[in-house]
């Protein structure tokens, strides 16, 4: 059973293409958006961007995700991303405190939220002919 999960990651990470297909990019963006929605994380932006590779047998795509959440929500998000059937690398994790105080709200009434920028690289291995 465990080997089937590993083989699924390998199968999803192999391609004959020289770049990611639009359907693959859209599918990954949707998975990230659904995951953020599941944990009630406010998404400010989610931007896919192709990245040139120095290696001819490896392609990758960069996804920049800007969110507002707590550390607990971030942990849940990263934990679930770990189970994706893709080879992923967190290139950047930038965390900054956010102070938004509603009228009549005290510091004890709210959780500490952070503005978090994640740069996520998704990799694919180009099959040799």
């Amino acid at each position: 059973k465990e080997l089937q999960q590993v083989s699924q990651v390998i199968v999803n990470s192999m391609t004959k293409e020289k770049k990611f297909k639009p359907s693959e990019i859209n599918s990954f963006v949707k998975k990230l958006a659904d995951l953020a929605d599941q944990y009630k994380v406010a998404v400010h932006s989610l931007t896919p961007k192709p990245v040139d590779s120095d290696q001819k047998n490896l392609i990758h795509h960069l996804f920049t995700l800007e969110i507002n959440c707590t550390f607990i929500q971030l942990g849940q998000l990263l934990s679930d991303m770990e189970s994706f059937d893709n080879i992923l690398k967190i290139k950047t994790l930038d965390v900054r405190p956010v102070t938004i105080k509603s009228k009549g709200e005290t510091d004890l009434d709210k959780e500490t939220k952070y503005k978090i920028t994640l740069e996520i690289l998704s990799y694919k291995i180009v099959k040799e002919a």
Side-chain angles (χ1 to χ4, degrees), residues 37-86:
D37 190 45
Q38 177 183 342
Y39 293 113
K40 297 175 179 38
V41 171
V43 177
H44 288 279
S45 72
L46 177 50
T47 312
K49 177 184 172 189
V51 179
D52 291 330
S53 177
D54 297 340
Q55 301 170 334
K56 68 176 183 172
N57 62 341
L58 187 67
I59 59 172
H60 47 277
H61 207 89
L62 179 69
F63 297 86
T64 303
L65 175 65
E66 292 183 6
I67 55 178
N68 275 10
C69 65
T70 65
F71 274 127
I72 292 171
Q73 290 169 313
L74 176 63
Q76 292 168 327
L77 200 73
L78 291 173
S79 179
D80 279 8
M81 280 176 52
E82 184 180 31
S83 69
F84 284 3
D85 292 334
N86 305 80

Side-chain angles (χ1 to χ4, degrees), residues 114-127:
Y114 298 90
K115 180 179 181 180
I116 299 169
T117 302
L118 286 165
E119 288 185 334
I120 306 159
L121 283 169
S122 181
Y123 291 90
K124 286 204 173 253
I125 301 165
V126 179
K127 292 181 189 178

Side-chain angles (χ1 to χ4, degrees), residues 5-6 9 11-12 17 21 35 79 89 96 100 107 111-112 122 127:
Q5 292 171 336
V6 171
V9 173
V11 167
N12 284 348
E17 308 294 324
K21 296 177 190 172
L35 194 58
S79 179
K89 175 183 175 184
R96 298 167 193 244
I100 304 171
D107 287 335
E111 295 178 302
T112 305
S122 181
K127 292 181 189 178

